[in-house]
Amino acid sequence: MILEGEEATIRIGAALAAAARAGDVITLSGPLGVGKTALARGFIAALGHQGDVPSPSFAIVQPYDELDPPVWHVDLY
């Protein structure tokens, strides 16, 4: 799938959030800068998070426990 820019990537993340269910594990793989965090931003925002969604590169795990279901944005490398 080739997406035309960050906004399109965010929309795909939001659509994925609508289809996701508690207990699902979604993995994204790709080089730095391809849009993994942009997709996660759309996903997390669609579930109701209103704050910033930073890349977890330094924190490794960025939990969003206030969401229903809770979401953990994890960077594994």
Side-chain angles (χ1 to χ4, degrees):
M1 176 184 300
I2 298 174
L3 301 173
E4 295 296 325
E6 185 173 359
E7 287 303 316
T9 306
I10 289 170
R11 285 193 303 272
I12 291 293
L16 185 59
R21 300 293 172 248
D24 285 353
V25 175
I26 299 165
T27 63
L28 305 173
S29 178
L32 186 66
V34 297
K36 298 179 300 290
T37 296
L39 190 139
R41 281 188 186 112
F43 185 95
I44 292 166
L47 293 177
H49 181 72
Q50 297 179 358
D52 189 31
V53 178
S55 173
S57 293
F58 297 107
I60 307 298
V61 177
Q62 195 72 28
Y64 297 89
D65 293 328
E66 77 279 6
L67 298 178
D68 185 25
V71 172
W72 283 22
H73 185 191
V74 181
D75 202 345
L76 304 172
Y77 50 96

